[in-house]
Amino acid sequence: MSQELIDAITDMREDDALEITDSLLETNTDPLAILDDCRKAMEIIGQRFEEGDCFVPELILAGEMLKEISVKVKPLIQEQTGTAKKLGKIVFGTVEGDIHDIAKDIVAFMLDINGFEVYDLGVDVPPARFVEKVQETGATVVGLSGFLTLAYDPMKETVAALKAADLPDVKVMIGGGQIDDQIRVYTGADAYGRDAMTAVSLAKQWIGGQ
Amino acid sequence: MFNAPENWKKLTAQEKRDARFASWMAPDLEFATPDAAQAYKQRIQMIKDATDLKKPERVPVLPWIGVYPTTYGGITAQEAMYDYEKLGTAFRKFNADFLPDGLASAALMGPGKVFDMLDYKIYHWPGHGTPVDTSYQCVEGEYMMADEYDQLINDPSGYFMRTYLPRAFGALAPWQMLGPFTDIIELPFVGLGMIPVGIPPVQEAFKTYLEAGQAVMEWISAVGPIDGASIATLGLPNIIGSFSKAPFDIIGDTMRGTRAIMLDMYRRPDKLLEAMDRLVPIAVEMGVRYATVSDTPMVFIPLHKGADGFMSNKDFQKFYWPTLKAVLLGLIENGTVPYLFVEGGYNQRLDIITDPDIPAGSTIWLFDHTDMKEAKKKLGGWACFGGNVPGSMMKAGTPQDIENYVKELIDGVAQDGGYILANGAVLDDTNPENLHALIDTGKKYGVYK
Ligand code: B12
């Protein structure tokens, strides 16, 4: 484990993090150990986000650093030692008619670094696409983002479509700037969340990955 | 048009503002009835009193209106952007039926035809990327590149003309070939400097530009009378005649985009700060100019990426607030009133925005999710505030819910005056009963004794 690398990432020192990665690779550090340090750093950042000590810029920069380090490290990994077991599968997307993606990306990122397999369907996703993807993957949680009040009805339709498809084990969570409990009731979703960490704790609660 | 008196330069900011309000109150317009004329004056007086932190005769009711008038009028948002006849019928009916204290302006829907002609890339609009009954939406992207800060800083207009607009509008892409106007400084340079203008694709781009200008004239000559009719017959003042933005949002919304500006905060903070400084006088000039041309003192400023959750308070104080504050001070100095729409939550920012350098009674802050009791504690006696009736309740609540919510707001935070009733999220989706509940409760219950 390189505490130096973890610190550089969590302190948002991008150049240092990349340099340290390079020198670790030069000294023949196991690439998998480097990726593991990244995962630890992401966990710390996620925790700080939850505690309100870190915000959108830090999440975006952390995501960038992770990408840059992966590019350096991944080609050096010889055999694919079966990626870490995921806690469960989540289908995620911004509902039909809405093309906002900033918050959706953040929530998907947080779910991902917390160990979930996230199928991100993107923005402007029609109800039928969510149903298809759930059927295809066997996911048990669906997350819907929506930022416009005009997203309320498409959310409601998506929940209805999932219900109609007879997927009794699937739970739906919704979120976005204008979403609150009144809208949870209105759409028939199982839960709503104000921020990305609520999405993570809901998923953990539902999927049972403590 | 606001005509500044001759002694303008000698006036204080307060005197300038009074002059702008007086001119707004006496428009160059024939009212249909004496009642309408009277109602118009009364409404502006209420807004002025609230701005001055006094108790008006009652709470002014100024809901933010989005595409809901189209739904209410039985047309789609797409029709409203293309068929000005239908647009007019819908907006006149909306204003007449609901009678808010400020006009729901037909101009805010924008001319669809012009966006088509120019091939606008930064937005999707109804029928052109978004459903016909949904509002237009921004397509996140980097429309200014990371290595272009110096170009923006050195010559903002040149950068817009030759780099940014050619990216934003497909039809103007050939403008990339233009030289800077500043080339043309002496006779021999005239010929050479004009060469790019003769290049066939550039000529084509200018032709389209001129045609789009004509289409804008068609639009504004249709929309002007639509709004004019509502003002003249109903006595509804137009509130949003001018607008500006926080420099961080100018760059973060439609130039660098959210992701890129947030990375810039770490990767090139000095360039970002310098560019925002450079945009301050530009943002002030724009707000003041539109206020003068439209003869309304209010300068609408939507706040986006400084909200709670977007960045830490430390970064807010470093990146967001200094240049926003400079814009506000510049607008105030020129006698206009910053009319801020504080989107999202500002619970963490209230201590910062109530900056003692900003004179009391010179700004208006309408909130979305911010806790109104806290807002009252921090802003009371310093600035007019309001807003906050939830968009979720406007859609999924009952008229009774809304009546209760409005009464609670009025009892809880409006009693000392300096207060405006408004919804928290621009109104796209609601029903007539709920909107009546908002407006009518405000009018009935908001009378000051
Ligand atoms: C940024 C912004 C813009 C940017 C858009 C950039 C983009 N491509 O996304 C710009 C400036 C271009 C813009 C333009 C407009 N906007 Co705008 N905008 C916003 C703003 C300020 C933030 C939205 C956002 O991106 N948030 C980013 C994320 C990170 O914040 P967040 O929502 O808190 O995220 C957390 C939660 O939502 C949660 N979450 C999200 N999804 C999920 C899912 C699950 C399952 C869970 C559990 C949790 C969860 O976790 C996230 C991370 O912690 C909102 C107001 C607001 N604060 O919500 C208005 C807002 C969305 N805009 C609005 C409007 C009206 C407009 C315009 C129409 C204005 C106009 N007339 O020109 C235009 C066009 C529409 C558009 N969006 O393009 C209105 C919509 C009103 C309505 N009735 O719906 C809003 C709500 C403002 C308001 N209060 O009125 N806008």
Side-chain angles (χ1 to χ4, degrees):
Chain A
M1 190 184 84
S2 161
Q3 191 60 41
E4 228 193 328
L5 176 59
I6 297 179
D7 288 346
I9 297 176
T10 55
D11 293 348
M12 302 294 142
R13 286 181 282 115
E14 184 181 19
D15 293 341
D16 290 352
L18 297 180
E19 265 170 45
I20 295 168
T21 306
D22 286 339
S23 59
L24 286 174
L25 288 173
E26 274 161 29
T27 52
N28 294 321
T29 312
D30 179 2
L32 285 174
I34 297 178
L35 284 185
D36 203 47
D37 289 340
C38 289
R39 194 187 47 76
K40 286 199 190 97
M42 291 303 147
E43 258 174 38
I44 295 171
I45 291 165
Q47 223 160 359
R48 289 188 186 161
F49 183 76
E50 185 170 19
E51 286 157 9
D53 282 341
C54 123
F55 298 85
V56 182
E58 290 74 30
L59 287 188
I60 293 176
L61 183 59
E64 284 286 309
M65 287 190 277
L66 184 62
K67 234 190 284 166
E68 289 163 327
I69 295 176
S70 300
V71 168
K72 289 180 189 291
V73 170
K74 285 243 168 95
L76 301 173
I77 300 174
Q78 319 271 290
E79 81 259 44
Q80 210 60 42
T81 40
T83 36
K85 194 168 151 22
K86 295 281 183 180
L87 296 175
K89 294 175 177 175
I90 301 176
V91 171
F92 207 86
T94 300
V95 296
E96 187 161 35
D98 192 334
I99 62 170
H100 288 84
D101 59 3
I102 307 164
K104 171 193 69 72
D105 290 350
I106 289 174
V107 180
F109 177 69
M110 293 301 283
L111 288 167
D112 182 69
I113 64 175
N114 277 280
F116 294 95
E117 179 89 55
V118 181
Y119 300 93
D120 184 345
L121 300 183
V123 298
D124 190 14
V125 182
R129 280 278 292 138
F130 284 104
V131 175
E132 276 164 31
K133 198 72 192 175
V134 170
Q135 286 167 337
E136 176 197 320
T137 60
T140 52
V141 172
V142 176
L144 306 178
S145 276
F147 300 87
L148 305 170
T149 54
L150 285 166
Y152 297 157
D153 283 333
M155 273 186 176
K156 189 176 178 171
E157 285 154 25
T158 308
V159 175
L162 288 162
K163 292 237 162 89
D166 195 24
L167 299 161
D169 297 336
V170 173
K171 295 236 186 204
V172 185
M173 57 177 169
I174 59 173
Q178 300 295 327
I179 305 296
D180 57 17
D181 198 53
Q182 191 152 31
I183 299 307
R184 180 192 61 79
V185 175
Y186 178 76
T187 56
D190 296 294
Y192 89 98
R194 271 243 160 272
D195 52 44
M197 287 321 292
T198 321
V200 172
S201 54
L202 283 168
K204 285 191 174 161
Q205 199 181 312
W206 289 344
I207 290 175
Q210 279 64 355
Chain B
M1 178 89 183
F2 167 69
N3 291 308
E6 280 195 10
N7 59 349
W8 185 249
K9 290 213 169 100
K10 297 208 182 88
L11 298 184
T12 64
Q14 174 76 44
E15 287 166 338
K16 286 179 180 167
R17 197 174 86 200
D18 289 346
R20 287 191 191 270
F21 265 105
S23 176
W24 190 24
M25 239 186 241
D28 186 13
L29 179 106
E30 192 123 356
F31 284 97
T33 61
D35 279 355
Q38 171 68 15
Y40 179 89
K41 279 208 177 68
Q42 229 167 344
R43 289 192 164 103
I44 293 183
Q45 188 61 49
M46 292 193 295
I47 295 166
K48 182 168 191 302
D49 289 343
T51 312
D52 291 340
L53 305 177
K54 294 186 201 144
K55 282 188 202 175
E57 63 175 276
R58 73 163 162 77
V59 166
V61 183
L62 296 174
W64 299 108
I65 303 298
V67 301
Y68 180 63
T70 63
T71 321
Y72 180 71
I75 63 171
T76 62
Q78 182 185 37
E79 286 173 311
M81 289 177 79
Y82 289 87
D83 184 334
Y84 307 141
E85 195 85 29
K86 287 182 176 164
L87 172 74
T89 311
F91 272 75
R92 279 192 303 265
K93 178 173 164 59
F94 178 88
N95 281 307
D97 289 359
F98 289 103
L99 286 176
D101 287 326
L103 176 78
S105 169
L108 293 179
M109 295 300 301
K113 188 177 165 190
V114 174
F115 308 140
D116 285 331
M117 293 171 82
L118 294 176
D119 185 16
Y120 196 17
K121 304 281 193 197
I122 299 188
Y123 274 77
H124 286 174
W125 58 94
H128 193 288
T130 55
V132 294
D133 52 1
T134 307
S135 83
Y136 45 85
Q137 290 177 54
C138 183
V139 185
E140 265 288 317
E142 277 186 67
Y143 302 98
M144 168 185 161
M145 300 305 148
D147 59 1
E148 290 172 356
Y149 272 103
D150 282 332
Q151 292 176 51
L152 174 68
I153 291 163
N154 291 339
D155 178 10
S157 286
Y159 177 73
F160 262 68
M161 182 162 184
R162 298 163 56 220
T163 307
Y164 178 72
L165 296 181
R167 271 189 205 129
F169 297 97
L172 304 185
W175 280 9
Q176 286 168 37
M177 292 182 250
L178 287 173
F181 282 128
T182 43
D183 280 359
I184 302 175
I185 40 177
E186 232 188 285
L187 184 141
F189 302 138
V190 176
L192 294 173
M194 290 282 293
I195 289 172
V197 183
I199 301 171
V202 174
Q203 294 245 316
E204 208 48 50
F206 271 108
K207 237 172 69 202
T208 310
Y209 189 60
L210 291 179
E211 284 162 10
Q214 258 169 10
V216 165
M217 282 319 268
E218 274 164 36
W219 167 74
I220 199 64
S221 24
V223 166
I226 295 171
D227 283 354
S230 299
I231 297 171
T233 57
L234 307 169
L236 304 184
N238 185 19
I239 311 289
I240 301 179
S242 176
F243 48 87
S244 190
K245 283 179 75 169
F248 189 90
D249 289 332
I250 295 179
I251 297 177
D253 286 344
T254 48
M255 297 184 72
R256 293 286 288 135
T258 313
R259 262 179 215 92
I261 197 173
M262 301 249 153
L263 289 173
D264 292 345
M265 288 166 65
Y266 279 99
R267 289 179 175 170
R268 47 192 76 78
D270 296 337
K271 286 291 169 209
L272 172 58
L273 289 169
E274 195 183 345
M276 291 195 293
D277 275 335
R278 188 75 170 93
L279 292 175
V280 167
I282 292 175
V284 171
E285 192 276 340
M286 177 169 82
V288 172
R289 175 164 36 86
Y290 278 112
T292 298
V293 171
S294 67
D295 199 8
T296 55
M298 303 295 169
V299 180
F300 169 54
I301 306 179
L303 300 186
H304 292 140
K305 288 162 184 166
D308 293 343
F310 274 92
M311 59 177 82
S312 65
N313 266 351
K314 197 165 142 257
D315 280 340
F316 183 82
Q317 275 170 301
K318 179 173 175 190
F319 289 102
Y320 199 90
W321 178 241
T323 44
L324 170 58
K325 174 178 162 181
V327 171
L328 299 181
L329 290 174
L331 291 170
I332 294 166
E333 183 52 42
N334 282 281
T336 64
V337 181
Y339 187 68
L340 296 122
F341 183 26
V342 190
E343 302 183 14
Y346 252 54
N347 294 307
Q348 314 301 320
R349 318 287 194 218
L350 293 175
D351 286 324
I352 304 170
I353 61 171
T354 47
D355 189 310
D357 294 345
I358 296 175
S362 63
T363 48
I364 297 175
W365 302 74
L366 297 186
F367 293 99
D368 179 4
H369 297 309
T370 304
D371 181 293
M372 293 307 274
K373 292 244 160 72
E374 282 302 306
K376 159 83 182 157
K377 244 189 250 161
K378 301 276 161 67
L379 275 75
W382 173 75
C384 177
F385 71 99
N388 174 254
V389 180
S392 53
M393 191 180 282
M394 293 302 295
K395 165 73 177 174
T398 63
Q400 191 60 51
D401 293 336
I402 290 161
E403 189 180 320
N404 295 344
Y405 199 93
V406 170
K407 284 182 172 170
E408 235 169 81
L409 279 176
I410 291 177
D411 288 338
V413 298
Q415 289 310 311
D416 301 327
Y419 176 81
I420 287 172
L421 178 67
N423 48 336
V426 171
L427 198 65
D428 287 338
D429 203 359
T430 184
N431 58 58
E433 295 74 31
N434 284 359
L435 184 53
H436 275 301
L438 172 71
I439 294 174
D440 300 348
T441 310
K443 286 186 177 176
K444 267 192 224 115
Y445 202 71
V447 177
Y448 288 101
K449 278 138 213 144

